[in-house]
Amino acid sequence: MHEQSICLTSVKGDITALPFADERFDVASSEAAFQMIEDLEQALREVHRILRDGGVFVFSVPHPIYEMFDTDTGTIDGDYFDTGPREITIDEEYDSNMIVFDRPIADLHTAFLDSGFEVQRVIEHRRHEVEQNDPADSDLPELLWRVPQSVRFWTVAR
């Protein structure tokens, strides 16, 4: 039996200039971070550079449709095609705001292709009605239960 070791690495830095050698990794993942990156294409080129041929990159961001809704009113408060920048407040007690760039799904898909990735899957996640997350017991506007919460791309470096 052949054993493989797994090395998980967390690095704080600039995603458009990663401090890793070319073709260093087999897998990379990003959860809800790339919406804060202004130069998406450069960031994707960097991820592609550090992945070996056939390496997998799993990428997830908040769904641009979900981000358009005003959660207080349950109405649309944005333009699907407006890529930003947009400033959001994370929490009233948090002393900083976050700058994000919402991108249409087609723009994300094209950016992957242009950066040398083959898109294997696109998954639009929705909130699941589970016991602790029942829409009837939630103060989340009903409309937000009917739209995707996030989008995930499963890609392969080629």
Side-chain angles (χ1 to χ4, degrees):
M1 173 183 244
H2 178 70
E3 289 187 30
Q4 290 187 356
S5 63
I6 296 175
C7 176
L8 299 176
T9 303
S10 177
V11 175
K12 182 178 179 179
D14 182 354
I15 188 68
T16 62
L18 294 170
F20 301 114
D22 293 357
E23 300 181 11
R24 172 85 168 89
F25 299 99
D26 294 312
V27 177
S29 175
S30 175
E31 295 291 323
F34 270 66
Q35 74 270 19
M36 295 176 276
I37 307 301
E38 184 172 11
D39 191 347
L40 176 65
E41 290 76 12
Q42 177 57 33
L44 291 177
R45 283 191 298 272
E46 274 295 282
V47 173
H48 189 276
R49 179 186 65 77
I50 66 164
L51 285 173
R52 292 183 182 100
D53 186 43
V56 172
F57 181 41
V58 179
F59 165 97
S60 180
V61 292
H63 198 287
I65 294 285
Y66 191 86
E67 294 295 295
M68 291 174 43
F69 291 105
D70 180 323
T71 56
D72 293 331
T73 65
T75 60
I76 292 176
D77 184 31
D79 180 343
Y80 180 77
F81 297 104
D82 182 3
T83 59
R86 177 173 62 90
E87 188 173 337
I88 60 174
T89 302
I90 300 168
D91 183 323
E92 295 299 331
E93 295 177 11
Y94 190 70
D95 65 354
S96 180
N97 287 339
M98 184 166 50
I99 304 297
V100 296
F101 302 87
D102 301 313
R103 295 173 175 96
I105 303 296
D107 288 1
L108 293 171
H109 186 267
T110 299
F112 276 110
L113 298 178
D114 290 350
S115 300
F117 287 95
E118 180 179 303
V119 176
Q120 297 290 310
R121 292 220 186 313
V122 178
I123 303 165
E124 295 176 292
H125 292 220
R126 66 182 300 168
R127 288 183 181 274
H128 294 285
E129 298 175 15
V130 294
E131 187 175 326
Q132 69 270 21
N133 215 11
D134 185 352
D137 296 334
S138 172
D139 59 357
L140 187 69
E142 192 272 331
L143 182 62
L144 293 183
W145 288 90
R146 299 185 334 205
V147 296
Q149 184 176 10
S150 64
V151 60
R152 174 167 290 155
F153 285 79
W154 179 283
T155 68
V156 176
R158 297 287 182 213

